[in-house]
Amino acid sequence: MTSVRLPLFPLNSVLFPGLVLPLNVFEARYRAMMRDLLALPEDERRFGVVAIRDGREVAPSAPGLPDATALPAGGPAAGFGTDPVSAFHTVGCVADAATIREKSGSPHTPDEDAEAAPPAAAPGTGPDASGYEVLATGTTRFKLLSVDASGPYLMGEVEELEETEGEGAGALASGVVRAFRTYQKRLAWANERTLASGQDLPDEPSVLSYLVAAAAVLDIPAKQRLLEAPDTAARLTQELKLLRQETAVIGKLPSLPAVDLTRHPTSPN
């Protein structure tokens, strides 16, 4: 397959095709990315999401007080070492940026990121006044071949991965639906919550496999293995095993922290 170049957005989470990704962008390198994407036609505003191997954002930031003007120390690859590709899982997901909204009160100039912050921020130009709110949707999986850190943000050479159904995907999908329903009920019971009724699950096996992968309460390595599954049947097989295991574990616990299987937190970047 032919490789393409995409802007890279590393996260401490896994994005699956068909799932929505809200982002609150404030770091200079990612603001530069969003400005460049806004200059493209709407149907070309794509970037690649990769999960960070160590499961945490390592770029410097202060919770609630992001520096909206200063470049991270070391440039676009800050926090990812001298060989950024080794810091990321090599299978990621293309994100289609349906909405990129600049926050009010944050005018930018093309070379703003190279300028030093003013001694005192004027009204409407402080740290909270700059950035973008982005709503993206996962579309296609890809394999990360290389990373270019020479520009204002990371660029990846990627090869899109075809999704094949695999043998027995339909029968496996029926089993996953039943196992997921049981898992949801057990999880709701453990959290002393009422399970919403009438929530339909998709019939198409690949869509179902991605929805379940995103909704299940699993750690990043487990979700990454589901994203990397060679075909839909293999992913459903993994999910069936995981759901049964997790359901059994939940049944032995007195209570669990509340979770929401349909919403994902906004990622502050």
Side-chain angles (χ1 to χ4, degrees):
M1 294 182 67
T2 304
S3 64
V4 297
R5 282 171 58 86
L6 283 178
L8 286 185
F9 208 121
L11 289 174
N12 59 346
S13 59
V14 178
L15 177 65
F16 293 94
L19 275 295
V20 175
L21 174 69
L23 292 168
N24 178 24
V25 177
F26 61 77
E27 279 192 34
R29 49 185 164 179
Y30 303 126
R31 288 190 290 117
M33 179 192 299
M34 294 306 154
R35 286 199 297 273
D36 286 352
L37 289 177
L38 279 172
L40 297 174
E42 290 186 8
D43 60 353
E44 296 180 17
R45 294 173 184 171
R46 307 192 310 158
F47 57 95
V49 173
V50 287
I52 302 168
R53 282 193 181 275
D54 62 5
R56 60 186 178 87
E57 281 284 7
V58 288
S61 63
L65 295 172
D67 185 343
T69 57
L71 275 172
F80 303 129
T82 56
D83 181 22
V85 72
S86 65
F88 310 136
H89 288 281
T90 55
V91 174
C93 184
V94 176
D96 182 359
T99 304
I100 304 176
R101 187 176 70 84
E102 187 173 13
K103 294 182 181 179
S104 60
S106 55
H108 298 297
T109 59
D111 59 350
E112 175 200 10
D113 291 338
E115 299 175 354
T125 61
D128 294 331
S130 180
Y132 293 87
E133 291 179 348
V134 180
L135 193 65
T137 304
T139 58
T140 309
R141 297 181 306 147
F142 64 79
K143 181 179 181 180
L144 180 63
L145 304 176
S146 63
V147 176
D148 178 6
S150 62
Y153 45 84
L154 297 177
M155 293 289 296
E157 188 79 14
V158 309
E159 181 181 87
E160 294 191 2
L161 297 175
E162 182 183 359
E163 178 74 15
T164 57
E165 188 167 281
E167 187 176 352
L172 285 164
S174 299
V176 167
V177 167
R178 291 191 296 271
F180 185 62
R181 288 298 190 198
T182 301
Y183 170 77
Q184 283 185 304
K185 291 175 182 177
R186 188 64 60 86
L187 197 60
W189 172 83
N191 290 319
E192 299 182 349
R193 298 173 60 192
T194 301
L195 181 67
S197 60
Q199 180 184 358
D200 293 329
L201 292 172
D203 295 325
E204 209 284 316
S206 65
V207 177
L208 173 71
S209 74
Y210 288 131
L211 176 61
V212 170
V217 184
L218 303 169
D219 59 18
I220 290 176
K223 286 181 179 284
Q224 185 66 34
R225 287 192 293 272
L226 292 173
L227 183 69
E228 295 177 5
D231 55 45
T232 300
R235 186 176 306 107
L236 290 167
T237 298
Q238 290 185 48
E239 289 171 347
L240 194 56
K241 181 179 178 180
L242 284 168
L243 289 170
R244 288 171 176 171
Q245 289 176 341
E246 293 297 310
T247 299
V249 169
I250 293 169
K252 297 178 181 179
L253 297 177
S255 62
L256 289 175
V259 294
D260 191 327
L261 295 178
T262 60
R263 299 183 62 184
H264 294 272
T266 298
S267 300
N269 290 284

